[in-house]
Amino acid sequence: MDLELKNINVKLGDKNIIQDISLAVAKGEFVGIIGPNGSGKSTLLRTIYRIIQPNSGIILLDGQNLKDVKLSESAKKMGVVGQFNSINFDFTVLDMVMMGRTPHKSLLGSDTPADYAIAMESIRKVGMEKHVNRSFSTLSGGEKQRIILARALTQQPQLLILDEPTNHLDIKYQLQILSIVKSLGIGVLAALHDLSLAAMYCHRLYVLKEGNVITSGVPNEILTPELVRDVYEIECDIQENPATGYLSITYYPTCRHA
């Protein structure tokens, strides 16, 4: 499933948050959005998954204007993993993940063995199969994030929107989660803070600063010390591993102590 944004503008109150942004995600492509806090990454993603309405511009899902797609239909096609997962009800892990089947059911439709099989496979993929009967509220932040991803996988989306999907995860599960997502073979648009992980997993990156896309392209081509200095206001060295092609980024503190 293809996603295309054309000249999207978002204004919240009297402030322009997103300014004339255009981007595209092709089927099977893992596209990253990077930029400092406050650059508009989350607002842009919320606009795509219809929490916020753009003031102008067009969002196309497989060539169809998203405004013309019913919410129930877009929910079948687009999965979302957000930053904050506060749940006030005492659901089990399995109950949480089974919610991913909701868009595929009629109003009074009951859960089927096939639904449970899809949910359990998603739980297994994120390494949480030993916790299916635990209360979601008792999980750590990282465990909750893995279950929210499992819920999105249970939805069987054709496009996955991720807003900082590796928040609260240790490095093992950061790599596991992003590897799982990339292996799905579907379109992925992810806002990421970790530039090394973004370079490792993303086919292309869009760089946001103050609500604008200032550049985009292949990670190993656009991620430079000059770009990091301009966007993040910090000095760094960037080296490419000749064996793997992965980037190694070393950051330097703005103040050095004697």
Side-chain angles (χ1 to χ4, degrees):
M1 169 161 289
D2 297 331
L3 172 71
E4 185 175 5
L5 277 63
K6 295 184 176 182
N7 309 111
I8 294 296
N9 288 275
V10 177
K11 187 174 183 179
L12 300 178
D14 59 355
K15 186 175 181 181
N16 294 314
I17 307 298
I18 299 298
Q19 302 175 62
D20 201 37
I21 285 184
S22 297
L23 62 77
V25 182
K27 180 180 179 181
E29 190 177 28
F30 196 132
V31 175
I33 303 174
I34 61 172
N37 290 337
S39 60
K41 300 187 300 296
S42 293
T43 298
L44 182 62
L45 294 186
R46 290 182 184 130
T47 304
I48 295 169
Y49 61 82
R50 310 179 82 170
I51 298 298
I52 298 172
Q53 291 293 322
N55 293 87
S56 62
I58 299 174
I59 301 174
L60 300 174
L61 202 58
D62 258 0
Q64 186 176 9
N65 193 326
L66 192 59
K67 291 195 302 184
D68 300 328
V69 180
K70 292 181 179 179
L71 283 171
S72 59
E73 288 303 310
S74 63
K76 292 178 183 178
K77 300 174 181 179
M78 188 189 307
V80 177
V81 178
Q83 290 187 58
F84 307 109
N85 301 305
S86 298
I87 303 294
N88 296 322
F89 300 98
D90 192 23
F91 293 114
T92 67
V93 163
L94 183 57
D95 289 337
M96 282 293 298
V97 176
M98 283 294 292
M99 291 178 188
R101 300 304 299 157
T102 301
H104 299 275
K105 299 178 184 300
S106 62
L107 183 60
L108 299 177
S110 59
D111 296 324
T112 67
D115 292 325
Y116 280 104
I118 292 168
M120 288 303 300
E121 174 62 15
S122 298
I123 292 171
R124 185 195 63 76
K125 282 183 177 179
V126 300
M128 291 291 288
E129 60 269 32
K130 294 181 180 180
H131 303 280
V132 290
N133 295 316
R134 276 187 62 180
S135 168
F136 179 81
S137 63
T138 67
L139 300 178
S140 69
E143 288 170 333
K144 288 179 179 178
Q145 192 74 341
R146 287 153 65 191
I147 293 305
I148 296 301
L149 176 60
R151 183 177 67 182
L153 297 183
T154 298
Q155 197 173 326
Q156 296 185 308
Q158 300 172 49
L159 174 71
L160 199 55
I161 306 296
L162 308 175
D163 192 353
E164 300 297 340
T166 55
N167 269 7
H168 313 300
L169 299 181
D170 62 37
I171 188 61
K172 172 185 175 181
Y173 290 113
Q174 289 181 40
L175 295 170
Q176 181 194 63
I177 292 299
L178 293 177
S179 295
I180 289 168
V181 169
K182 193 164 186 177
S183 72
L184 297 174
I186 63 175
V188 178
L189 182 62
L192 298 166
H193 267 310
D194 191 308
L195 300 186
S196 296
L197 289 178
M200 184 182 297
Y201 285 96
C202 295
H203 297 108
R204 288 187 298 116
L205 295 175
Y206 288 86
V207 184
L208 265 62
K209 182 180 181 181
E210 297 177 350
N212 297 278
V213 172
I214 62 169
T215 191
S216 64
V218 177
N220 287 33
E221 294 178 359
I222 68 167
L223 284 178
T224 64
E226 293 75 22
L227 177 80
V228 173
R229 183 187 307 120
D230 178 48
V231 174
Y232 293 94
E233 300 178 357
I234 194 167
E235 300 293 332
C236 73
D237 285 334
I238 300 178
Q239 301 292 329
E240 182 175 327
N241 186 312
T244 64
Y246 296 149
L247 297 184
S248 174
I249 305 176
T250 303
Y251 299 101
Y252 298 107
T254 53
C255 296
R256 300 196 181 196
H257 301 284

